[in-house]
Amino acid sequence: MLLSRIRQFLWLTAVLALGFGLLPAAAFAQSPSPLLPASTSADSISSLYWRIFLTALVIYVLVQGLILFSAFRFRRRSEALPPQIFGHTRLEIAWTLAPFMVLLVILFLTVQVLGVTRYTAEAGADELQVEVIGHQWFWEYRYPKQGAISDEIVTAADLVVPVDQRVHLRIWSDDVIHSFWIPQLAGKTDANPVNFIREGQVGPGVKQLNTWFQATKTGVYEGQCAEYCGEQHAIMRMRVKVVDKAGWDEWVKRNAAPAQPTATGFAIERGKQVFLDERNLCVSCHTIKGTTAAGKVGPNLSNVGGRQEIGAGALTNSPENLRTWIRNAPGVKSGIKMPAFPQLTDADLDALVAYLSSLK
Ligand code: HEC
Ligand SMILES: [Cu+2]
């Protein structure tokens, strides 16, 4: 009997410790945790989380306390049969109604936040529009001409946006369903394959989705495709770089113009020639703004040197890694559409790396 009581006690302690352990775990959250919000809508999501969590904590402590209390207060003290109770209507109604009310409050709070995070067009709103396109396995961004953007900008992997600016994302996919998720800025939004609609292959209901956020802090926010999309789903990462007004203006100016190497030299000139040489195939899949390269299969490389990672998170961006990637990309990330290039000479490869690294 003593043993079973000790066991009971240990169970209760374990359950309580687990419950309270969640608090410090949340307090020590690290980027990209949604508990470190950096936009207005992420703010309302995390505040909803905290409100529900703290309510649940109060209920949890109350219930566990009552269990602990009754376990000790009414423990068996003699062999006499205790009073036998068969139902208590008022109590039963109370403990059905109480959780119902709690859930009703949570539903109300949640619907309120859904209203905030959902994209709704606002007449005359000063918003930056970006098209976000999922590909197996990288994200592409298209900024149409608008405001200070005088010419369409296309980039990949790193989405650059100004701080304190309403950003409207129009999300779709070029192949299968992906999901765009930057936990510190906005909730998940599916990328549906709208191309197939154009080809008449999929019925109605599959459509481009909209979301929005307004970043409140500059910084770099990591994300990850959140819908299983094939072999390399795990290596389909992206990030949002939130920059200040001056940084934004500079970025727009640089990216609306033809891609310019940030350095000069023989290797860079030669790299450009190697890249643009049709026999090397790069141009059939990649675009570099202002050159004859206009391929649409792979990511736009107009500013590839400025990215933190290549291959959507497969490798950090460095000359050595770029070299490894171009020589044998499928060896780094299997299943992708980019082939290996064993036929490129070492000198051509070095030149390509010099050229691409200089595009920022
Ligand atoms: C058949 C199409 C195809 C060809 C040809 C091709 N690539 Fe790619 N490339 C891709 C795809 C697709 C990706 C993205 C793969 C991924 O991350 O899943 C990619 C990614 C890259 C990246 C990384 C970019 C980033 O932002 O992550 C570089 C750099 C690159 N290619 C350079 C080259 C060079 C140089 C050549 C020519 C020697 C070349 N590619 C030829 C399809 C191609
Ligand atoms: Cu994906």
Side-chain angles (χ1 to χ4, degrees):
M1 212 178 75
L2 181 69
L3 208 70
S4 87
R5 195 154 317 138
I6 290 176
R7 209 181 301 141
Q8 243 177 24
F9 183 73
L10 286 179
W11 267 113
L12 279 172
T13 327
V15 171
L16 277 174
L18 217 106
F20 286 113
L22 285 173
L23 251 189
F28 293 118
Q30 284 186 347
S31 172
S33 167
L35 297 183
L36 298 172
S39 78
T40 49
S41 40
D43 246 352
S44 52
I45 294 174
S46 80
S47 105
L48 173 68
Y49 168 84
W50 281 113
R51 278 179 290 166
I52 294 179
F53 179 75
L54 292 177
T55 313
L57 193 69
V58 168
I59 295 171
Y60 177 81
V61 168
L62 208 79
V63 171
Q64 294 297 337
L66 279 174
I67 290 176
L68 270 176
F69 171 77
S70 353
F72 288 101
R73 175 72 178 72
F74 302 110
R75 69 184 183 276
R76 182 151 86 171
R77 279 176 242 240
S78 73
E79 295 303 313
L81 196 66
Q84 302 296 297
I85 296 163
F86 300 96
H88 190 297
T89 313
R90 259 182 298 163
L91 250 183
E92 281 160 18
I93 290 176
W95 72 48
T96 307
L97 269 184
F100 178 75
M101 298 307 281
V102 171
L103 290 179
L104 213 62
V105 171
I106 290 179
L107 176 73
F108 175 74
L109 295 174
T110 306
V111 168
Q112 240 182 356
V113 170
L114 279 179
V116 174
T117 56
R118 214 175 107 230
Y119 175 79
T120 39
E122 276 173 27
D126 170 31
E127 60 177 30
L128 173 71
Q129 264 193 40
V130 189
E131 259 181 274
V132 175
I133 303 143
H135 297 267
Q136 282 171 319
W137 290 277
F138 63 93
W139 292 98
E140 176 187 346
Y141 312 110
R142 294 188 194 157
Y143 301 68
K145 289 180 202 175
Q146 60 190 303
I149 303 181
S150 56
D151 191 15
E152 193 192 27
I153 296 174
V154 181
T155 180
D158 298 0
L159 175 66
V160 180
V161 298
V163 71
D164 294 326
Q165 158 87 53
R166 186 180 155 94
V167 181
H168 170 193
L169 303 180
R170 297 162 58 204
I171 302 180
W172 52 280
S173 163
D174 195 32
D175 35 55
V176 300
I177 305 175
H178 302 271
S179 180
F180 192 75
W181 190 32
I182 309 285
Q184 289 173 271
L185 295 175
K188 294 173 187 169
T189 308
D190 274 5
N192 288 326
V194 300
N195 264 354
F196 294 154
I197 298 181
R198 278 190 225 130
E199 291 161 21
Q201 292 183 11
V202 173
V206 181
K207 58 176 202 288
Q208 160 196 297
L209 297 178
N210 298 286
T211 192
W212 77 284
F213 65 82
Q214 177 159 341
T216 48
K217 287 177 220 156
T218 57
V220 177
Y221 304 104
E222 309 276 337
Q224 160 74 46
C225 176
E227 174 76 40
Y228 179 72
C229 57
E231 185 178 348
Q232 294 295 351
H233 162 64
I235 311 185
M236 184 166 168
R237 282 174 229 147
M238 62 289 203
R239 54 174 58 77
V240 177
K241 290 182 175 164
V242 178
V243 297
D244 58 17
K245 185 77 178 69
W248 168 249
D249 288 343
E250 195 212 308
W251 188 85
V252 168
K253 213 170 122 206
R254 196 153 25 88
N255 284 274
Q260 272 304 330
T262 49
T264 50
F266 175 71
I268 291 174
E269 275 309 310
R270 173 160 174 189
K272 185 171 178 183
Q273 280 166 19
V274 176
F275 190 88
L276 296 180
D277 185 336
E278 279 169 26
R279 285 167 300 178
N280 292 328
L281 298 178
C282 314
V283 293
S284 57
C285 292
H286 292 289
T287 296
I288 292 183
K289 192 167 189 148
T291 72
T292 51
K296 297 271 187 269
V297 179
N300 187 301
L301 299 179
S302 304
N303 57 14
V304 64
R307 277 170 211 158
Q308 253 165 274
E309 292 176 322
I310 45 176
L315 297 171
T316 51
N317 194 358
S318 69
E320 305 85 78
N321 284 342
L322 208 52
R323 198 175 195 286
T324 309
W325 176 270
I326 298 170
R327 177 65 88 200
N328 184 9
V332 178
K333 190 172 173 184
S334 63
I336 60 173
K337 292 189 184 116
M338 178 159 164
F341 288 94
Q343 69 277 26
L344 282 174
T345 65
D346 280 348
D348 280 356
L349 196 54
D350 288 337
L352 269 177
V353 169
Y355 173 55
L356 292 177
S357 314
S358 77
L359 300 176
K360 292 186 174 158

